Amino acid sequence: MSRLAADTLLPVDTTLAVALAVLLIAATAVVAVFRLSPDGSHRRTREILTAGVRAAAQLAAVSLVVGVAVRHTAALLGFLFLMFAVATRTAGRRITPNHTWWWAALPIAAPVAPVVVGLVLAGLLTVPGIAIVPVTGILIGGALTATVLAGRRALDELTQRHGEVEAGLALGLPERDARLEVSRGAASDALLPALDQTRTVGLVTLPGAFVGMLLAGASPLLAGAVQVFVLIALLAVEALAVALTVELVARRRLHRDAAREPARRPTPRLRPPPFRRTPT
């Protein structure tokens, strides 16, 4: 019965393909007409079109891979590592174009790994098993979003309020503390999406985990309990991701500075002419 309900809700046929194409074209057209790009160009248009096509292709491939991965521990761990690697690359490149992007791995791995390991040790998730893939994916996705938002907001704030950082240094603050005071408040806005989603769950939206379990035949009570767990876990993961990202920015591990120039030879100091006593 649950399969019949899923097929009735969203049948996978030609109509679905046409609907997806129309929605993707509509999103691309809106971005193009209103020039919704940081520099007013059509860059975001291409990004949306590429993202939509990639999403369809990647999910088609994942649908085939997951069926094999959930039955073999090595394949499952490899798939989870691939998810983490892609998230790190995506988050890092959204924050900075230079070589420091790989530091984005820390605020993604540090919150997610302990939660997943704890769930496995507690018996709530099994390895191998199907549940560990969506749960880990949700947590990694939340950490990715929080890391990107916190990193971009923190670095933008430091650029716009550079004078305040200099003032803090002039007052004797360490560089890390001066940068932290300026960037922390703006970076904390990265928690707003998770907070709003948690506050409005059941009143404004019915998240994917809840709907998915209902379609799979679970009771509404069980589906609600799982969804609450996912939301609370996301709050914990994203809070730590934001804190670590701000710390990395404050310590200049994540930055947008250009590559360091080669060391220059010191400019020779000019000696003053020798003092000559004028005859009296």
Side-chain angles (χ1 to χ4, degrees):
M1 182 176 179
S2 60
R3 182 174 181 179
L4 178 60
D7 291 341
T8 304
L9 177 64
L10 201 62
V12 181
D13 54 15
T14 306
T15 304
L16 176 61
V18 173
L20 291 175
V22 170
L23 290 173
L24 182 58
I25 293 172
T28 305
V30 169
V31 174
V33 170
F34 291 95
R35 295 184 177 274
L36 301 180
S37 180
D39 54 1
S41 66
H42 294 287
R43 187 181 66 184
R44 283 283 189 268
T45 304
R46 294 190 297 271
E47 289 181 355
I48 288 182
L49 185 60
T50 303
V53 174
R54 283 185 57 178
Q58 289 168 186
L59 284 176
V62 167
S63 300
L64 300 175
V65 173
V66 168
V68 177
V70 296
R71 294 193 295 268
H72 302 86
T73 302
L76 177 62
L77 295 178
F79 184 72
L80 295 180
F81 180 78
L82 176 63
M83 295 169 62
F84 164 71
V86 173
T88 298
R89 176 77 176 181
T90 302
R93 284 305 188 185
R94 281 294 184 191
I95 296 172
T96 177
N98 62 31
H99 66 282
T100 63
W101 65 265
W102 65 270
W103 277 102
L106 180 61
I108 294 176
V112 173
V115 173
V116 174
V117 171
L119 293 175
V120 172
L121 294 178
L124 296 176
L125 294 177
T126 58
V127 179
I130 187 63
I132 194 173
V133 174
V135 170
T136 306
I138 290 173
L139 297 179
I140 290 178
L144 182 155
T145 302
T147 300
V148 170
L149 292 177
R152 291 177 66 91
R153 292 287 288 118
L155 291 174
D156 289 345
E157 200 74 1
L158 287 172
T159 300
Q160 297 171 5
R161 299 170 59 188
H162 179 70
E164 295 181 38
V165 177
E166 295 294 334
L169 295 176
L171 293 174
L173 287 177
E175 183 181 16
R176 177 256 180 191
D177 294 347
R179 290 169 62 87
L180 190 62
E181 286 298 321
V182 170
S183 61
R184 179 165 45 196
S188 67
D189 287 348
L191 293 174
L192 293 180
L195 284 171
D196 291 342
Q197 184 183 23
T198 305
R199 287 172 176 170
T200 61
V201 64
L203 299 176
V204 178
T205 60
L206 294 177
F210 181 82
V211 175
M213 292 195 65
L214 287 180
L215 294 176
S219 67
L221 181 61
L222 178 59
V226 171
Q227 185 62 68
V228 169
F229 166 78
V230 170
L231 291 174
I232 300 301
L234 274 175
L235 282 177
V237 165
E238 294 190 24
L240 184 54
V242 171
L244 291 174
T245 302
V246 173
E247 190 66 29
L248 290 172
V249 170
R251 294 178 180 271
R252 284 189 177 273
R253 298 295 187 270
L254 271 172
H255 61 76
R256 292 175 181 161
D257 299 339
R260 293 184 178 181
E261 298 180 358
R264 299 178 180 177
R265 295 180 181 179
T267 304
R269 298 180 61 183
L270 299 177
R271 296 182 178 180
F275 177 76
R276 295 180 181 181
R277 181 177 299 178
T278 57
T280 55

